[in-house]
Amino acid sequence: MLSENQLKKILLKTKTSGKKEINLYLEEAKKRNQTLEEYLVSQKIIGGEQLYKAAAQYFNLPFINIKNETIRKDILFLIPEPIATTHKVIAFDKSDSELKIAALNPDDLQIFEFLGKKTGLDIKIHLTTPESISEALKSYHKGLKAEFKELTKEQVDEKADDDNKLKELAHDMPVIRIVDTLLEYAIFENASDIHIEPNEKGVIVRYRIDGILKNVMTLPKSVHAGIIARVKILSNLKLDEHRLPQDGRFKISTNEYKVSFRVSVIPAYDGEKIVMRALNEQTGIISLEQLGFQKKPLEKIKLNITKPHGLILVTGPTGSGKTTTLYAILNLLNKPEVNITTIEDPIEYRMVGINQSQVNPKIGYTFSTGLRSFLRQDPDIIMVGEIRDKETAEIAIHAALTGHLVLSTLYTNDAPTTLPRLSEMGIPAFLVASTTNVIIAQRLVRKICQDCIESYTLTKEEITKLEKQINLEATLQTLDTEGLITKKQNKDSLLFYRGKGCKKCDTSGYKGRIGLYEVLEVTPELNELILKGSSAKDISQKARDQGMLTVLEDGFIKAKTGITTIKEVLRVTKG
């Protein structure tokens, strides 16, 4: 449907209504809980076809009424049903170089770009009416859904365990088209994860984009068995196993992208659920500068990774980018004269020149057993994907103590908490103090879309809310002392930034992500506190006295400089 602003401009340009009349229409539409378009059509102020013809004239696009058109099946299916339904677009004609599309929203540039890449054709947009789109969508029921019904009529019940039937289902064209579209669209949207979740009536597909899950389409329940079977075939998993979780992976390579998918299948109440993690192998390893470290913390990291031995830890919750930070550090250390070995769960990115190994608990190959074996491989640098237990922690600490540089991750809320945590795991305080070089705590925040960024001043209510979560005066003073803001500002005149929402960011106001960091360097003074068994609070205070920026302060800087929003910083740091 056309947006309110689009309708206002169209009505004014075509002289259908004046400003006063439009305002009255808006008031009446709100009273009736209708959109402006619904009100105009329902009150017969303007006919649906007349409105979209005026819109086509306004946008300088051709108009077509496809309500009674017969669309060839092969052309219709160039746009898969989930995409057509979600974005209200229909393919109705094509030539060797051009695909004609009927649409309601000419500003949905992202989907037109996706369809152009998917089909390899130039997209020619025509405006049509909602009634035409609804009628055309019924053609899918006569085609694709009918095929699904035929394919799945024997498989949707409890007897869908026959291996041969499932294989046939997984290799059938409608199923392949659906799965291929889900994967292609996820890659196009830069989604990090794809969730395929069955419920009582259908199958919900959600993508995690910039750390946030969003619904992208709903599929009929009849296709669920086929999608599960297809993904299992791609991932080399057991087709007839529906009661136990399974893990696998597969890769998609084209001229445009090379993406690995890490697959997890679990049994759920309404059928098996799939989550696929997308890992773009062409992205490459990001540098520490690109990750978003401030100048002084970055200097501390670079100084400590040049030490020949010791422990470097990265902490934070799941999905906070810990592995990416470790890869960025390894990329700096990766030289022919050093032997680097990693043990990971799983290997996310392949790094040339580094010996990467993946754990396999089923055969007893864990972090601790792998790490113990590595010490007989003459390593200079070891990366352990995660310190999960006392045994792994002990081996890692002893490796750091005996002349190896050890990198790993740990789950703690901040950097200072990590030191007492190691002691709680049974590691003597003197070993923690003597081996730990630096600890990096981190979170990921969404970046403001630079195509729709705007500045604003916090209201008194927002300042009051902000002060409940952080000591605003103390934070401003710290940042002023560190030279990270130009001058100490009055809290009532704080200028921040946000995204208004535009086509390029799908109206979210955000595009991309960046890290917030807390870098704790273990100095002689902090060594003394660790040996005394001091609390995380005392360690934090001493580290801040020595210039450590907290995650929240780093976020505050990034919000003040227009990289992210203060709302986003508080979301990831305070929950």
Side-chain angles (χ1 to χ4, degrees):
M1 296 179 75
L2 296 167
S3 71
E4 191 176 289
N5 285 333
Q6 287 172 337
L7 280 168
K8 285 180 184 177
K9 290 174 183 176
I10 292 163
L11 292 172
L12 288 171
K13 187 173 180 180
T14 56
K15 297 180 181 179
T16 306
S17 305
K19 287 183 180 179
K20 286 184 180 179
E21 289 175 299
I22 293 170
N23 288 332
L24 287 171
Y25 297 155
L26 281 167
E27 286 177 18
E28 286 299 315
K30 285 177 184 176
K31 286 178 186 176
R32 297 165 184 260
N33 199 25
Q34 290 180 316
T35 64
L36 179 57
E37 183 180 328
E38 287 169 342
Y39 176 76
L40 292 170
V41 175
S42 66
Q43 296 302 305
K44 299 183 179 177
I45 295 165
I46 187 169
E49 186 166 325
Q50 184 188 352
L51 176 61
Y52 277 86
K53 279 181 177 176
Q57 188 181 352
Y58 175 78
F59 288 110
N60 196 26
L61 290 171
F63 175 84
I64 187 166
N65 188 337
I66 57 169
K67 196 171 181 181
N68 300 314
E69 292 279 327
T70 301
I71 303 169
R72 274 171 40 196
K73 189 175 175 182
D74 61 319
I75 295 174
L76 180 74
F77 284 169
L78 285 173
I79 303 178
E81 185 187 5
I83 301 293
T85 304
T86 303
H87 292 272
K88 301 292 186 279
V89 288
I90 296 291
F92 67 90
D93 197 8
K94 74 180 278 288
S95 65
D96 291 340
S97 60
E98 188 178 79
L99 180 65
K100 292 182 179 180
I101 301 284
L104 297 182
N105 183 8
D107 284 341
D108 198 355
L109 302 180
Q110 206 168 6
I111 194 62
F112 301 139
E113 185 185 345
F114 169 69
L115 292 172
K117 284 185 178 180
K118 181 177 172 61
T119 61
L121 300 170
D122 292 330
I123 303 299
K124 179 73 172 174
I125 303 163
H126 293 63
L127 228 55
T128 190
T129 63
E131 292 78 14
S132 289
I133 292 286
S134 297
E135 195 64 34
L137 286 172
K138 291 177 184 176
S139 300
Y140 283 100
H141 292 255
K142 301 166 189 173
L144 194 58
K145 280 189 180 178
E147 288 182 50
F148 278 134
K149 189 176 180 182
E150 183 64 29
L151 283 163
T152 58
K153 63 184 181 182
E154 294 180 1
Q155 283 85 6
V156 293
D157 59 20
E158 294 297 326
K159 297 175 183 177
D161 289 335
D162 188 289
D163 208 18
N164 290 327
K165 286 181 182 177
L166 288 171
K167 277 182 182 175
E168 286 175 18
L169 188 59
H171 286 97
D172 214 272
M173 279 309 297
V175 173
I176 291 171
R177 279 200 295 267
I178 284 284
V179 174
D180 285 354
T181 300
L182 292 179
L183 299 175
E184 287 173 13
Y185 198 41
I187 293 166
F188 178 78
E189 291 276 9
N190 289 319
S192 61
D193 300 87
I194 306 168
H195 290 239
I196 300 171
E197 304 166 330
N199 59 27
E200 189 178 353
K201 296 180 180 178
V203 181
I204 308 297
V205 179
R206 299 194 290 169
Y207 292 163
R208 188 177 294 280
I209 300 170
D210 292 335
I212 305 295
L213 272 172
K214 71 171 190 177
N215 286 353
V216 289
M217 59 188 79
T218 301
L219 301 170
K221 188 64 181 280
S222 59
V223 309
H224 179 246
I227 291 173
I228 296 291
R230 180 64 184 164
V231 174
K232 284 182 177 179
I233 286 282
L234 291 172
S235 313
N236 199 27
L237 300 177
K238 294 179 181 177
L239 279 173
D240 56 352
E241 178 56 78
H242 307 290
R243 297 171 299 171
L244 294 173
Q246 294 189 76
D247 295 317
R249 65 189 304 156
F250 64 92
K251 187 182 293 185
I252 295 178
S253 294
T254 70
N255 292 332
E256 293 182 355
Y257 50 77
K258 189 176 181 182
V259 181
S260 290
F261 288 91
R262 197 172 78 210
V263 180
S264 171
V265 184
I266 64 165
Y269 186 80
D270 289 302
E272 289 172 284
K273 175 190 172 181
I274 293 176
V275 175
M276 291 181 274
R277 166 67 55 90
L279 303 164
N280 193 334
E281 295 185 3
Q282 290 184 326
T283 302
I285 305 301
I286 299 172
S287 69
L288 288 172
E289 286 81 3
Q290 290 172 307
L291 290 176
F293 284 95
Q294 303 292 346
K295 187 179 178 182
K296 286 185 179 178
L298 183 57
E299 287 171 357
K300 289 179 182 177
I301 293 170
K302 287 186 173 179
L303 175 67
N304 281 279
I305 65 175
T306 58
K307 294 179 179 178
H309 55 81
L311 192 61
I312 295 169
L313 291 171
V314 183
T315 76
T318 301
S320 60
K322 299 187 295 295
T323 304
T324 302
T325 301
L326 285 181
Y327 279 141
I329 293 171
L330 284 176
N331 198 42
L332 282 176
L333 297 170
N334 190 9
K335 296 182 174 81
E337 57 266 28
V338 293
N339 177 19
I340 303 176
T341 308
T342 75
I343 180 162
E344 307 172 52
D345 183 22
I347 296 169
E348 293 195 8
Y349 295 99
R350 180 74 185 96
M351 295 185 74
V352 178
I354 292 178
N355 308 291
Q356 294 174 269
S357 183
Q358 183 164 314
V359 300
N360 189 347
K362 291 178 182 177
I363 58 171
Y365 186 45
T366 62
F367 282 121
S368 56
T369 55
L371 186 51
R372 193 178 287 110
S373 299
F374 286 180
L375 296 175
R376 296 191 287 272
Q377 288 275 316
D378 186 33
D380 298 293
I381 299 165
I382 299 170
M383 193 266 267
V384 185
E386 184 188 334
I387 293 177
R388 294 178 179 172
D389 50 54
K390 181 182 176 182
E391 187 180 6
T392 307
E394 283 177 341
I395 302 167
I397 290 281
H398 282 101
L401 193 65
T402 55
H404 304 88
L405 188 63
V406 181
L407 291 75
S408 191
T409 68
L410 201 65
Y411 288 98
T412 56
N413 289 328
D414 55 34
T417 308
T418 306
L419 297 162
R421 172 72 187 279
L422 288 169
S423 297
E424 288 167 10
M425 291 176 80
I427 308 301
F430 77 91
L431 284 178
V432 175
S434 60
T435 57
T436 310
N437 293 349
V438 67
I439 300 167
I440 305 163
Q442 66 181 76
R443 301 289 189 277
L444 282 179
V445 290
R446 291 178 291 172
K447 294 195 292 185
I448 297 171
C449 172
Q450 295 303 302
D451 289 294
C452 61
I453 189 170
E454 65 176 5
S455 61
Y456 72 104
T457 305
L458 291 180
T459 63
K460 287 184 179 180
E461 292 78 13
E462 287 172 325
I463 291 170
T464 303
K465 189 176 179 182
L466 184 60
E467 285 183 312
K468 288 179 182 177
Q469 305 208 47
I470 64 172
N471 186 331
L472 198 50
E473 292 287 356
T475 301
L476 287 170
Q477 182 62 58
T478 301
L479 301 183
D480 183 36
T481 304
E482 291 288 320
L484 294 166
I485 55 175
T486 52
K487 62 178 182 177
K488 186 176 180 296
Q489 289 182 280
N490 184 294
K491 65 181 182 180
D492 295 322
S493 62
L494 285 173
L495 193 69
F496 285 101
Y497 300 86
R498 63 191 172 196
K500 289 188 290 186
C502 66
K503 302 167 196 171
K504 292 191 177 178
C505 62
D506 197 22
T507 71
S508 68
Y510 296 99
K511 194 170 186 181
R513 287 194 291 175
I514 197 167
L516 307 183
Y517 301 97
E518 183 173 287
V519 179
L520 186 152
E521 183 180 30
V522 180
T523 61
E525 293 82 5
L526 284 173
N527 257 323
E528 289 180 21
L529 290 179
I530 298 166
L531 289 169
K532 289 176 185 175
S534 299
S535 66
K537 186 178 179 181
D538 291 336
I539 292 169
S540 178
Q541 187 57 57
K542 175 59 72 175
R544 295 193 68 190
D545 291 344
Q546 294 179 346
M548 182 189 80
L549 285 174
T550 65
V551 166
L552 191 54
E553 287 170 342
D554 187 29
F556 200 91
I557 296 165
K558 289 183 169 84
K560 284 289 294 137
T561 51
I563 296 171
T564 187
T565 64
I566 194 68
K567 182 180 178 182
E568 184 72 359
V569 172
L570 295 177
R571 178 183 72 83
V572 302
T573 56
K574 295 292 181 183

mmCIF file of all heavy atoms in Angstrom, residues 266-300:
data_model
loop_
_atom_site.group_PDB
_atom_site.id
_atom_site.type_symbol
_atom_site.label_atom_id
_atom_site.label_comp_id
_atom_site.label_asym_id
_atom_site.label_seq_id
_atom_site.Cartn_x
_atom_site.Cartn_y
_atom_site.Cartn_z
ATOM 1 N N ILE A 266 16.707 -29.102 15.909
ATOM 2 C CA ILE A 266 16.251 -29.660 17.199
ATOM 3 C C ILE A 266 14.775 -30.038 17.108
ATOM 4 O O ILE A 266 14.015 -29.407 16.365
ATOM 5 C CB ILE A 266 16.457 -28.670 18.369
ATOM 6 C CG1 ILE A 266 15.603 -27.410 18.183
ATOM 7 C CG2 ILE A 266 17.921 -28.313 18.567
ATOM 8 C CD1 ILE A 266 15.466 -26.570 19.436
ATOM 9 N N PRO A 267 14.350 -31.089 17.859
ATOM 10 C CA PRO A 267 12.921 -31.428 17.880
ATOM 11 C C PRO A 267 12.166 -30.413 18.733
ATOM 12 O O PRO A 267 12.628 -30.028 19.813
ATOM 13 C CB PRO A 267 12.905 -32.821 18.528
ATOM 14 C CG PRO A 267 14.164 -32.889 19.336
ATOM 15 C CD PRO A 267 15.163 -32.019 18.653
ATOM 16 N N ALA A 268 11.033 -29.920 18.250
ATOM 17 C CA ALA A 268 10.188 -28.994 19.003
ATOM 18 C C ALA A 268 8.759 -29.525 18.997
ATOM 19 O O ALA A 268 8.460 -30.533 18.350
ATOM 20 C CB ALA A 268 10.256 -27.597 18.378
ATOM 21 N N TYR A 269 7.861 -28.847 19.705
ATOM 22 C CA TYR A 269 6.502 -29.340 19.897
ATOM 23 C C TYR A 269 5.762 -29.527 18.572
ATOM 24 O O TYR A 269 5.066 -30.522 18.366
ATOM 25 C CB TYR A 269 5.720 -28.370 20.794
ATOM 26 C CG TYR A 269 4.341 -28.865 21.158
ATOM 27 C CD1 TYR A 269 4.162 -29.806 22.181
ATOM 28 C CD2 TYR A 269 3.213 -28.417 20.470
ATOM 29 C CE1 TYR A 269 2.897 -30.266 22.508
ATOM 30 C CE2 TYR A 269 1.948 -28.878 20.789
ATOM 31 C CZ TYR A 269 1.794 -29.805 21.811
ATOM 32 O OH TYR A 269 0.555 -30.271 22.128
ATOM 33 N N ASP A 270 5.905 -28.554 17.644
ATOM 34 C CA ASP A 270 5.175 -28.615 16.372
ATOM 35 C C ASP A 270 6.013 -29.142 15.222
ATOM 36 O O ASP A 270 5.657 -28.974 14.052
ATOM 37 C CB ASP A 270 4.639 -27.227 16.019
ATOM 38 C CG ASP A 270 3.501 -26.806 16.934
ATOM 39 O OD1 ASP A 270 2.497 -27.540 16.979
ATOM 40 O OD2 ASP A 270 3.627 -25.775 17.611
ATOM 41 N N GLY A 271 7.143 -29.770 15.518
ATOM 42 C CA GLY A 271 8.019 -30.298 14.476
ATOM 43 C C GLY A 271 9.435 -29.785 14.660
ATOM 44 O O GLY A 271 9.715 -28.999 15.557
ATOM 45 N N GLU A 272 10.324 -30.227 13.806
ATOM 46 C CA GLU A 272 11.725 -29.850 13.962
ATOM 47 C C GLU A 272 11.962 -28.384 13.607
ATOM 48 O O GLU A 272 11.409 -27.866 12.639
ATOM 49 C CB GLU A 272 12.604 -30.745 13.089
ATOM 50 C CG GLU A 272 12.686 -32.171 13.601
ATOM 51 C CD GLU A 272 13.405 -33.088 12.630
ATOM 52 O OE1 GLU A 272 12.788 -33.462 11.628
ATOM 53 O OE2 GLU A 272 14.570 -33.427 12.886
ATOM 54 N N LYS A 273 12.803 -27.749 14.429
ATOM 55 C CA LYS A 273 13.172 -26.347 14.205
ATOM 56 C C LYS A 273 14.610 -26.289 13.700
ATOM 57 O O LYS A 273 15.475 -27.023 14.170
ATOM 58 C CB LYS A 273 13.054 -25.536 15.496
ATOM 59 C CG LYS A 273 13.543 -24.104 15.328
ATOM 60 C CD LYS A 273 13.672 -23.359 16.650
ATOM 61 C CE LYS A 273 14.351 -22.017 16.406
ATOM 62 N NZ LYS A 273 14.531 -21.238 17.636
ATOM 63 N N ILE A 274 14.862 -25.397 12.739
ATOM 64 C CA ILE A 274 16.209 -25.232 12.182
ATOM 65 C C ILE A 274 16.710 -23.822 12.467
ATOM 66 O O ILE A 274 15.959 -22.847 12.313
ATOM 67 C CB ILE A 274 16.214 -25.452 10.656
ATOM 68 C CG1 ILE A 274 15.897 -26.910 10.317
ATOM 69 C CG2 ILE A 274 17.548 -25.062 10.041
ATOM 70 C CD1 ILE A 274 15.782 -27.178 8.830
ATOM 71 N N VAL A 275 17.975 -23.730 12.871
ATOM 72 C CA VAL A 275 18.668 -22.441 12.904
ATOM 73 C C VAL A 275 19.945 -22.596 12.095
ATOM 74 O O VAL A 275 20.715 -23.529 12.305
ATOM 75 C CB VAL A 275 19.006 -21.981 14.341
ATOM 76 C CG1 VAL A 275 19.829 -20.697 14.301
ATOM 77 C CG2 VAL A 275 17.731 -21.754 15.146
ATOM 78 N N MET A 276 20.138 -21.677 11.135
ATOM 79 C CA MET A 276 21.345 -21.710 10.297
ATOM 80 C C MET A 276 22.148 -20.432 10.509
ATOM 81 O O MET A 276 21.621 -19.335 10.319
ATOM 82 C CB MET A 276 20.963 -21.852 8.821
ATOM 83 C CG MET A 276 20.370 -23.207 8.475
ATOM 84 S SD MET A 276 19.948 -23.347 6.709
ATOM 85 C CE MET A 276 18.308 -22.636 6.702
ATOM 86 N N ARG A 277 23.391 -20.583 10.940
ATOM 87 C CA ARG A 277 24.300 -19.444 11.098
ATOM 88 C C ARG A 277 25.053 -19.227 9.784
ATOM 89 O O ARG A 277 25.696 -20.142 9.277
ATOM 90 C CB ARG A 277 25.274 -19.723 12.246
ATOM 91 C CG ARG A 277 26.496 -18.806 12.345
ATOM 92 C CD ARG A 277 26.167 -17.377 12.686
ATOM 93 N NE ARG A 277 25.400 -17.225 13.898
ATOM 94 C CZ ARG A 277 25.950 -17.071 15.112
ATOM 95 N NH1 ARG A 277 27.262 -17.109 15.262
ATOM 96 N NH2 ARG A 277 25.187 -16.886 16.162
ATOM 97 N N ALA A 278 24.947 -18.016 9.214
ATOM 98 C CA ALA A 278 25.605 -17.703 7.945
ATOM 99 C C ALA A 278 26.974 -17.079 8.192
ATOM 100 O O ALA A 278 27.090 -16.128 8.967
ATOM 101 C CB ALA A 278 24.740 -16.743 7.128
ATOM 102 N N LEU A 279 28.000 -17.635 7.571
ATOM 103 C CA LEU A 279 29.369 -17.136 7.713
ATOM 104 C C LEU A 279 29.912 -16.806 6.330
ATOM 105 O O LEU A 279 30.214 -17.692 5.542
ATOM 106 C CB LEU A 279 30.253 -18.195 8.393
ATOM 107 C CG LEU A 279 29.770 -18.682 9.772
ATOM 108 C CD1 LEU A 279 30.470 -19.960 10.164
ATOM 109 C CD2 LEU A 279 29.991 -17.610 10.816
ATOM 110 N N ASN A 280 30.006 -15.518 6.047
ATOM 111 C CA ASN A 280 30.462 -15.065 4.732
ATOM 112 C C ASN A 280 31.974 -15.187 4.636
ATOM 113 O O ASN A 280 32.714 -14.449 5.283
ATOM 114 C CB ASN A 280 30.035 -13.615 4.491
ATOM 115 C CG ASN A 280 30.213 -13.209 3.035
ATOM 116 O OD1 ASN A 280 31.054 -13.761 2.318
ATOM 117 N ND2 ASN A 280 29.423 -12.255 2.589
ATOM 118 N N GLU A 281 32.445 -16.131 3.827
ATOM 119 C CA GLU A 281 33.877 -16.403 3.750
ATOM 120 C C GLU A 281 34.634 -15.367 2.938
ATOM 121 O O GLU A 281 35.860 -15.331 2.956
ATOM 122 C CB GLU A 281 34.108 -17.805 3.167
ATOM 123 C CG GLU A 281 33.572 -18.907 4.062
ATOM 124 C CD GLU A 281 33.899 -20.308 3.558
ATOM 125 O OE1 GLU A 281 34.601 -20.413 2.543
ATOM 126 O OE2 GLU A 281 33.449 -21.280 4.190
ATOM 127 N N GLN A 282 33.909 -14.518 2.205
ATOM 128 C CA GLN A 282 34.578 -13.493 1.411
ATOM 129 C C GLN A 282 34.729 -12.174 2.160
ATOM 130 O O GLN A 282 35.358 -11.252 1.676
ATOM 131 C CB GLN A 282 33.809 -13.258 0.102
ATOM 132 C CG GLN A 282 33.915 -14.426 -0.868
ATOM 133 C CD GLN A 282 33.229 -14.153 -2.184
ATOM 134 O OE1 GLN A 282 32.218 -13.472 -2.233
ATOM 135 N NE2 GLN A 282 33.760 -14.694 -3.262
ATOM 136 N N THR A 283 34.139 -12.115 3.356
ATOM 137 C CA THR A 283 34.249 -10.890 4.154
ATOM 138 C C THR A 283 35.690 -10.647 4.572
ATOM 139 O O THR A 283 36.181 -9.530 4.608
ATOM 140 C CB THR A 283 33.347 -10.980 5.410
ATOM 141 O OG1 THR A 283 32.007 -11.189 5.004
ATOM 142 C CG2 THR A 283 33.436 -9.707 6.233
ATOM 143 N N GLY A 284 36.392 -11.741 4.879
ATOM 144 C CA GLY A 284 37.785 -11.619 5.319
ATOM 145 C C GLY A 284 37.869 -11.265 6.787
ATOM 146 O O GLY A 284 36.870 -10.989 7.447
ATOM 147 N N ILE A 285 39.081 -11.290 7.301
ATOM 148 C CA ILE A 285 39.298 -10.975 8.708
ATOM 149 C C ILE A 285 39.318 -9.463 8.889
ATOM 150 O O ILE A 285 40.041 -8.740 8.198
ATOM 151 C CB ILE A 285 40.627 -11.585 9.215
ATOM 152 C CG1 ILE A 285 40.651 -13.096 8.938
ATOM 153 C CG2 ILE A 285 40.822 -11.299 10.694
ATOM 154 C CD1 ILE A 285 39.536 -13.885 9.568
ATOM 155 N N ILE A 286 38.523 -8.973 9.831
ATOM 156 C CA ILE A 286 38.448 -7.537 10.106
ATOM 157 C C ILE A 286 39.614 -7.138 10.998
ATOM 158 O O ILE A 286 39.997 -7.879 11.908
ATOM 159 C CB ILE A 286 37.097 -7.203 10.781
ATOM 160 C CG1 ILE A 286 35.942 -7.584 9.854
ATOM 161 C CG2 ILE A 286 37.007 -5.733 11.130
ATOM 162 C CD1 ILE A 286 34.579 -7.471 10.486
ATOM 163 N N SER A 287 40.193 -5.969 10.765
ATOM 164 C CA SER A 287 41.306 -5.495 11.592
ATOM 165 C C SER A 287 40.784 -4.956 12.922
ATOM 166 O O SER A 287 39.591 -4.640 13.055
ATOM 167 C CB SER A 287 42.078 -4.389 10.867
ATOM 168 O OG SER A 287 41.283 -3.218 10.780
ATOM 169 N N LEU A 288 41.676 -4.825 13.898
ATOM 170 C CA LEU A 288 41.295 -4.296 15.209
ATOM 171 C C LEU A 288 40.764 -2.869 15.090
ATOM 172 O O LEU A 288 39.831 -2.489 15.799
ATOM 173 C CB LEU A 288 42.499 -4.329 16.162
ATOM 174 C CG LEU A 288 42.915 -5.725 16.665
ATOM 175 C CD1 LEU A 288 44.222 -5.648 17.431
ATOM 176 C CD2 LEU A 288 41.829 -6.341 17.545
ATOM 177 N N GLU A 289 41.345 -2.091 14.178
ATOM 178 C CA GLU A 289 40.875 -0.715 13.976
ATOM 179 C C GLU A 289 39.436 -0.708 13.468
ATOM 180 O O GLU A 289 38.607 0.088 13.935
ATOM 181 C CB GLU A 289 41.781 0.013 12.968
ATOM 182 C CG GLU A 289 43.144 0.415 13.499
ATOM 183 C CD GLU A 289 44.169 -0.729 13.491
ATOM 184 O OE1 GLU A 289 43.838 -1.838 13.017
ATOM 185 O OE2 GLU A 289 45.288 -0.510 13.958
ATOM 186 N N GLN A 290 39.128 -1.621 12.556
ATOM 187 C CA GLN A 290 37.771 -1.689 11.995
ATOM 188 C C GLN A 290 36.744 -2.127 13.035
ATOM 189 O O GLN A 290 35.565 -1.795 12.923
ATOM 190 C CB GLN A 290 37.733 -2.647 10.804
ATOM 191 C CG GLN A 290 38.458 -2.144 9.567
ATOM 192 C CD GLN A 290 38.541 -3.213 8.489
ATOM 193 O OE1 GLN A 290 38.991 -4.326 8.736
ATOM 194 N NE2 GLN A 290 38.107 -2.887 7.290
ATOM 195 N N LEU A 291 37.188 -2.875 14.032
ATOM 196 C CA LEU A 291 36.266 -3.375 15.055
ATOM 197 C C LEU A 291 35.732 -2.258 15.942
ATOM 198 O O LEU A 291 34.682 -2.399 16.551
ATOM 199 C CB LEU A 291 36.960 -4.428 15.930
ATOM 200 C CG LEU A 291 37.257 -5.770 15.260
ATOM 201 C CD1 LEU A 291 38.026 -6.675 16.189
ATOM 202 C CD2 LEU A 291 35.972 -6.449 14.808
ATOM 203 N N GLY A 292 36.482 -1.132 16.035
ATOM 204 C CA GLY A 292 35.963 0.012 16.788
ATOM 205 C C GLY A 292 36.648 0.306 18.102
ATOM 206 O O GLY A 292 36.056 0.955 18.969
ATOM 207 N N PHE A 293 37.894 -0.140 18.280
ATOM 208 C CA PHE A 293 38.622 0.167 19.516
ATOM 209 C C PHE A 293 39.027 1.638 19.545
ATOM 210 O O PHE A 293 39.427 2.211 18.531
ATOM 211 C CB PHE A 293 39.886 -0.699 19.628
ATOM 212 C CG PHE A 293 39.626 -2.120 20.030
ATOM 213 C CD1 PHE A 293 39.499 -3.113 19.072
ATOM 214 C CD2 PHE A 293 39.486 -2.467 21.367
ATOM 215 C CE1 PHE A 293 39.252 -4.426 19.438
ATOM 216 C CE2 PHE A 293 39.244 -3.776 21.736
ATOM 217 C CZ PHE A 293 39.122 -4.756 20.770
ATOM 218 N N GLN A 294 38.965 2.244 20.739
ATOM 219 C CA GLN A 294 39.501 3.592 20.923
ATOM 220 C C GLN A 294 41.034 3.536 20.875
ATOM 221 O O GLN A 294 41.630 2.473 21.030
ATOM 222 C CB GLN A 294 39.039 4.192 22.258
ATOM 223 C CG GLN A 294 37.533 4.248 22.448
ATOM 224 C CD GLN A 294 36.835 5.227 21.508
ATOM 225 O OE1 GLN A 294 37.464 6.060 20.873
ATOM 226 N NE2 GLN A 294 35.518 5.096 21.396
ATOM 227 N N LYS A 295 41.669 4.691 20.703
ATOM 228 C CA LYS A 295 43.113 4.744 20.469
ATOM 229 C C LYS A 295 43.937 4.143 21.608
ATOM 230 O O LYS A 295 44.795 3.273 21.388
ATOM 231 C CB LYS A 295 43.539 6.192 20.228
ATOM 232 C CG LYS A 295 44.995 6.336 19.818
ATOM 233 C CD LYS A 295 45.359 7.789 19.574
ATOM 234 C CE LYS A 295 46.831 7.932 19.222
ATOM 235 N NZ LYS A 295 47.224 9.345 19.016
ATOM 236 N N LYS A 296 43.689 4.564 22.844
ATOM 237 C CA LYS A 296 44.512 4.093 23.979
ATOM 238 C C LYS A 296 44.305 2.602 24.267
ATOM 239 O O LYS A 296 45.272 1.871 24.465
ATOM 240 C CB LYS A 296 44.235 4.939 25.215
ATOM 241 C CG LYS A 296 44.849 6.333 25.129
ATOM 242 C CD LYS A 296 44.654 7.101 26.430
ATOM 243 C CE LYS A 296 45.294 8.490 26.349
ATOM 244 N NZ LYS A 296 45.083 9.260 27.586
ATOM 245 N N PRO A 297 43.053 2.118 24.339
ATOM 246 C CA PRO A 297 42.858 0.675 24.532
ATOM 247 C C PRO A 297 43.520 -0.159 23.430
ATOM 248 O O PRO A 297 44.068 -1.227 23.701
ATOM 249 C CB PRO A 297 41.336 0.517 24.506
ATOM 250 C CG PRO A 297 40.810 1.842 24.923
ATOM 251 C CD PRO A 297 41.777 2.838 24.375
ATOM 252 N N LEU A 298 43.474 0.334 22.189
ATOM 253 C CA LEU A 298 44.084 -0.376 21.065
ATOM 254 C C LEU A 298 45.594 -0.485 21.248
ATOM 255 O O LEU A 298 46.199 -1.526 20.982
ATOM 256 C CB LEU A 298 43.757 0.339 19.754
ATOM 257 C CG LEU A 298 44.264 -0.311 18.458
ATOM 258 C CD1 LEU A 298 43.735 -1.736 18.321
ATOM 259 C CD2 LEU A 298 43.865 0.516 17.247
ATOM 260 N N GLU A 299 46.202 0.580 21.741
ATOM 261 C CA GLU A 299 47.651 0.565 22.000
ATOM 262 C C GLU A 299 48.000 -0.488 23.051
ATOM 263 O O GLU A 299 49.017 -1.179 22.948
ATOM 264 C CB GLU A 299 48.113 1.949 22.462
ATOM 265 C CG GLU A 299 48.139 2.982 21.338
ATOM 266 C CD GLU A 299 48.390 4.398 21.846
ATOM 267 O OE1 GLU A 299 48.492 4.582 23.095
ATOM 268 O OE2 GLU A 299 48.481 5.322 21.017
ATOM 269 N N LYS A 300 47.150 -0.615 24.069
ATOM 270 C CA LYS A 300 47.383 -1.614 25.132
ATOM 271 C C LYS A 300 47.324 -3.032 24.556
ATOM 272 O O LYS A 300 48.132 -3.887 24.911
ATOM 273 C CB LYS A 300 46.334 -1.467 26.239
ATOM 274 C CG LYS A 300 46.503 -0.218 27.094
ATOM 275 C CD LYS A 300 45.401 -0.147 28.145
ATOM 276 C CE LYS A 300 45.515 1.126 28.977
ATOM 277 N NZ LYS A 300 44.407 1.252 29.961
#
